[in-house]
């Protein structure tokens, strides 16, 4: 196994072994959350293909940390939002938005949680992930469009 494949395997396993990301969730919601985490971990590892192990770990750490923090805050929301007061729900949602900004960029501004409602927690998670990833792709596409237009 080459160095990059080993690195990818290692970060993917770290997501799968992190109980804090999935405790209290049903199996389908846990799978979606873990898949989301593995996607970010894999991308972070792939971006370090030219780095030695120590440099790669330092380069991956901020993104891996941001991903874990977002996923944990989503898990807490899913697990506790129904029995939370309105004030607690607002705080939990604000934390998710802050964590999403940490991973997807400071310009992320989440609509209300009802925008992502699903019939089960897995639906909520999928809807939120889809929205965040579509928003970040739009920013990339706009940037690449303008970059190509102006040669930057």
């Amino acid at each position: 196994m080459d160095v990059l494949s080993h690195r990818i395997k290692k970060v993917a396993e770290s997501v799968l072994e992190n109980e804090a990301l999935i405790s209290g969730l049903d199996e389908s919601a846990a799978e979606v959350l873990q898949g989301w985490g593995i996607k970010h971990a894999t991308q972070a590892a792939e971006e370090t293909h030219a780095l030695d192990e120590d440099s790669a770990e330092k380069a991956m750490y901020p993104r891996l940390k941001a991903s874990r923090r977002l996923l944990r805050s989503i898990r807490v929301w899913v697990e506790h939002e129904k029995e939370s007061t309105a004030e607690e729900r607002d705080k939990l949602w604000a934390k998710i938005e802050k964590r999403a900004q940490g991973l997807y960029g400071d310009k992320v501004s989440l609509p209300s949680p009802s925008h992502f409602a699903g019939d089960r927690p897995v639906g909520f998670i999928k809807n939120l992930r889809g929205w965040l990833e579509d928003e970040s792709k739009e920013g990339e596409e706009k940037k690449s469009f303008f970059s190509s237009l102006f040669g930057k």
Side-chain angles (χ1 to χ4, degrees):
M1 180 180 296
D2 66 17
V3 174
L4 181 59
S5 297
H6 178 71
R7 191 174 294 151
I8 291 169
K9 182 178 186 250
K10 186 176 164 184
V11 295
E13 286 174 350
S14 74
V15 172
L16 292 171
E17 294 169 355
N18 190 337
E19 279 295 314
L21 299 179
I22 60 167
S23 65
L25 297 179
D26 63 47
E27 188 175 330
S28 58
E31 281 181 18
V32 171
L33 216 52
Q34 284 179 322
W36 194 355
I38 289 170
K39 177 186 174 200
H40 282 284
T42 300
Q43 288 172 341
E46 288 171 344
E47 291 170 5
T48 67
H49 68 278
L51 301 176
D52 65 72
E53 202 59 36
D54 287 340
S55 299
E57 285 197 29
K58 288 176 185 168
M60 290 186 300
Y61 180 76
R63 185 164 180 189
L64 296 176
K65 181 179 177 182
S67 176
R68 284 190 308 269
R69 293 175 98 183
L70 173 61
L71 299 179
R72 271 194 312 266
S73 64
I74 293 168
R75 188 227 2 120
V76 169
W77 171 269
V78 168
E79 192 174 14
H80 299 290
E81 64 96 13
K82 284 188 178 19
E83 72 261 2
S84 298
T85 66
E87 183 180 334
E88 291 168 335
R89 285 171 49 93
D90 289 345
K91 286 181 183 178
L92 290 172
W93 193 246
K95 189 170 191 176
I96 289 175
E97 183 174 68
K98 180 180 178 186
R99 300 303 187 216
Q101 290 168 345
L103 187 60
Y104 290 99
D106 291 338
K107 294 184 180 176
V108 169
S109 179
L110 294 175
S112 74
S114 63
H115 182 82
F116 306 106
D119 56 341
R120 298 184 356 221
V122 67
F124 174 83
I125 295 168
K126 284 179 177 180
N127 293 339
L128 179 58
R129 177 183 178 178
W131 188 89
L132 283 167
E133 292 184 349
D134 284 347
E135 286 293 307
S136 68
K137 283 181 187 173
E138 282 181 24
E140 289 171 14
E141 288 170 5
K142 289 176 187 168
K143 184 177 180 182
S144 63
F145 169 75
F146 287 116
S147 296
S148 65
L149 185 63
F150 296 110
K152 293 182 180 182

